[in-house]
PDB file of all heavy atoms in Angstrom:
ATOM      1  N   MET A  95       7.488  -4.061   7.165  1.00  0.00           N
ATOM      2  CA  MET A  95       7.631  -4.565   8.464  1.00  0.00           C
ATOM      3  C   MET A  95       8.403  -3.504   9.378  1.00  0.00           C
ATOM      4  O   MET A  95       8.124  -3.564  10.623  1.00  0.00           O
ATOM      5  CB  MET A  95       8.485  -5.787   8.404  1.00  0.00           C
ATOM      6  CG  MET A  95       7.681  -6.983   7.861  1.00  0.00           C
ATOM      7  SD  MET A  95       8.630  -8.478   7.808  1.00  0.00           S
ATOM      8  CE  MET A  95       8.738  -8.783   9.618  1.00  0.00           C
ATOM      9  N   TYR A  96       9.198  -2.702   8.833  1.00  0.00           N
ATOM     10  CA  TYR A  96       9.984  -1.691   9.717  1.00  0.00           C
ATOM     11  C   TYR A  96      10.147  -0.384   8.882  1.00  0.00           C
ATOM     12  O   TYR A  96      10.653  -0.468   7.798  1.00  0.00           O
ATOM     13  CB  TYR A  96      11.295  -2.245  10.113  1.00  0.00           C
ATOM     14  CG  TYR A  96      11.997  -1.276  10.970  1.00  0.00           C
ATOM     15  CD1 TYR A  96      11.736  -1.282  12.305  1.00  0.00           C
ATOM     16  CD2 TYR A  96      12.952  -0.430  10.495  1.00  0.00           C
ATOM     17  CE1 TYR A  96      12.429  -0.325  13.215  1.00  0.00           C
ATOM     18  CE2 TYR A  96      13.506   0.554  11.300  1.00  0.00           C
ATOM     19  CZ  TYR A  96      13.270   0.539  12.623  1.00  0.00           C
ATOM     20  OH  TYR A  96      13.867   1.496  13.443  1.00  0.00           O
ATOM     21  N   PRO A  97       9.714   0.719   9.435  1.00  0.00           N
ATOM     22  CA  PRO A  97       8.817   0.752  10.636  1.00  0.00           C
ATOM     23  C   PRO A  97       7.525   0.069  10.290  1.00  0.00           C
ATOM     24  O   PRO A  97       7.121   0.082   9.132  1.00  0.00           O
ATOM     25  CB  PRO A  97       8.730   2.201  10.901  1.00  0.00           C
ATOM     26  CG  PRO A  97       9.096   2.897   9.712  1.00  0.00           C
ATOM     27  CD  PRO A  97       9.926   2.014   8.852  1.00  0.00           C
ATOM     28  N   PRO A  98       6.897  -0.417  11.277  1.00  0.00           N
ATOM     29  CA  PRO A  98       5.505  -1.088  10.987  1.00  0.00           C
ATOM     30  C   PRO A  98       4.521  -0.180  10.202  1.00  0.00           C
ATOM     31  O   PRO A  98       4.408   0.872  10.519  1.00  0.00           O
ATOM     32  CB  PRO A  98       4.968  -1.359  12.433  1.00  0.00           C
ATOM     33  CG  PRO A  98       6.101  -1.438  13.272  1.00  0.00           C
ATOM     34  CD  PRO A  98       7.118  -0.433  12.683  1.00  0.00           C
ATOM     35  N   ASN A  99       4.094  -0.816   9.115  1.00  0.00           N
ATOM     36  CA  ASN A  99       3.245  -0.065   8.084  1.00  0.00           C
ATOM     37  C   ASN A  99       2.004  -0.936   7.830  1.00  0.00           C
ATOM     38  O   ASN A  99       2.018  -1.733   6.872  1.00  0.00           O
ATOM     39  CB  ASN A  99       4.003   0.274   6.835  1.00  0.00           C
ATOM     40  CG  ASN A  99       3.131   1.113   5.879  1.00  0.00           C
ATOM     41  OD1 ASN A  99       1.940   1.120   6.006  1.00  0.00           O
ATOM     42  ND2 ASN A  99       3.833   1.738   4.964  1.00  0.00           N
ATOM     43  N   THR A 100       1.061  -0.875   8.691  1.00  0.00           N
ATOM     44  CA  THR A 100      -0.145  -1.696   8.622  1.00  0.00           C
ATOM     45  C   THR A 100      -0.814  -1.568   7.289  1.00  0.00           C
ATOM     46  O   THR A 100      -1.415  -2.406   6.742  1.00  0.00           O
ATOM     47  CB  THR A 100      -1.092  -1.631   9.863  1.00  0.00           C
ATOM     48  OG1 THR A 100      -1.497  -0.217   9.960  1.00  0.00           O
ATOM     49  CG2 THR A 100      -0.481  -2.162  10.986  1.00  0.00           C
ATOM     50  N   THR A 101      -0.861  -0.269   6.796  1.00  0.00           N
ATOM     51  CA  THR A 101      -1.605   0.038   5.602  1.00  0.00           C
ATOM     52  C   THR A 101      -0.951  -0.755   4.477  1.00  0.00           C
ATOM     53  O   THR A 101      -1.623  -1.357   3.614  1.00  0.00           O
ATOM     54  CB  THR A 101      -1.452   1.549   5.237  1.00  0.00           C
ATOM     55  OG1 THR A 101      -2.114   2.278   6.331  1.00  0.00           O
ATOM     56  CG2 THR A 101      -2.288   1.866   3.967  1.00  0.00           C
ATOM     57  N   HIS A 102       0.355  -0.731   4.412  1.00  0.00           N
ATOM     58  CA  HIS A 102       1.058  -1.447   3.334  1.00  0.00           C
ATOM     59  C   HIS A 102       0.831  -2.934   3.437  1.00  0.00           C
ATOM     60  O   HIS A 102       0.611  -3.565   2.439  1.00  0.00           O
ATOM     61  CB  HIS A 102       2.636  -1.187   3.435  1.00  0.00           C
ATOM     62  CG  HIS A 102       3.467  -1.871   2.480  1.00  0.00           C
ATOM     63  ND1 HIS A 102       3.501  -1.579   1.170  1.00  0.00           N
ATOM     64  CD2 HIS A 102       4.099  -3.126   2.653  1.00  0.00           C
ATOM     65  CE1 HIS A 102       4.390  -2.436   0.587  1.00  0.00           C
ATOM     66  NE2 HIS A 102       4.652  -3.435   1.407  1.00  0.00           N
ATOM     67  N   LEU A 103       0.810  -3.540   4.655  1.00  0.00           N
ATOM     68  CA  LEU A 103       0.604  -4.883   4.781  1.00  0.00           C
ATOM     69  C   LEU A 103      -0.827  -5.310   4.369  1.00  0.00           C
ATOM     70  O   LEU A 103      -1.078  -6.303   3.808  1.00  0.00           O
ATOM     71  CB  LEU A 103       0.886  -5.301   6.260  1.00  0.00           C
ATOM     72  CG  LEU A 103       2.304  -5.172   6.723  1.00  0.00           C
ATOM     73  CD1 LEU A 103       2.424  -5.496   8.232  1.00  0.00           C
ATOM     74  CD2 LEU A 103       3.142  -6.205   5.952  1.00  0.00           C
ATOM     75  N   LEU A 104      -1.774  -4.448   4.843  1.00  0.00           N
ATOM     76  CA  LEU A 104      -3.216  -4.773   4.444  1.00  0.00           C
ATOM     77  C   LEU A 104      -3.354  -4.660   2.836  1.00  0.00           C
ATOM     78  O   LEU A 104      -4.030  -5.478   2.387  1.00  0.00           O
ATOM     79  CB  LEU A 104      -4.143  -3.761   5.151  1.00  0.00           C
ATOM     80  CG  LEU A 104      -4.230  -3.985   6.609  1.00  0.00           C
ATOM     81  CD1 LEU A 104      -5.052  -2.864   7.227  1.00  0.00           C
ATOM     82  CD2 LEU A 104      -4.816  -5.296   6.900  1.00  0.00           C
ATOM     83  N   LEU A 105      -2.783  -3.756   2.209  1.00  0.00           N
ATOM     84  CA  LEU A 105      -2.764  -3.616   0.814  1.00  0.00           C
ATOM     85  C   LEU A 105      -2.122  -4.829   0.086  1.00  0.00           C
ATOM     86  O   LEU A 105      -2.686  -5.297  -0.817  1.00  0.00           O
ATOM     87  CB  LEU A 105      -2.215  -2.312   0.295  1.00  0.00           C
ATOM     88  CG  LEU A 105      -3.007  -1.029   0.672  1.00  0.00           C
ATOM     89  CD1 LEU A 105      -2.231   0.143   0.210  1.00  0.00           C
ATOM     90  CD2 LEU A 105      -4.322  -0.990  -0.016  1.00  0.00           C
ATOM     91  N   SER A 106      -1.069  -5.303   0.666  1.00  0.00           N
ATOM     92  CA  SER A 106      -0.384  -6.489   0.148  1.00  0.00           C
ATOM     93  C   SER A 106      -1.185  -7.657   0.232  1.00  0.00           C
ATOM     94  O   SER A 106      -1.406  -8.482  -0.643  1.00  0.00           O
ATOM     95  CB  SER A 106       0.982  -6.696   0.854  1.00  0.00           C
ATOM     96  OG  SER A 106       1.909  -5.638   0.642  1.00  0.00           O
TER      97      SER A 106
END
Side-chain angles (χ1 to χ4, degrees):
M95 290 183 65
Y96 182 83
N99 183 343
T100 55
T101 303
H102 176 80
L103 292 174
L104 290 173
L105 290 174
S106 295

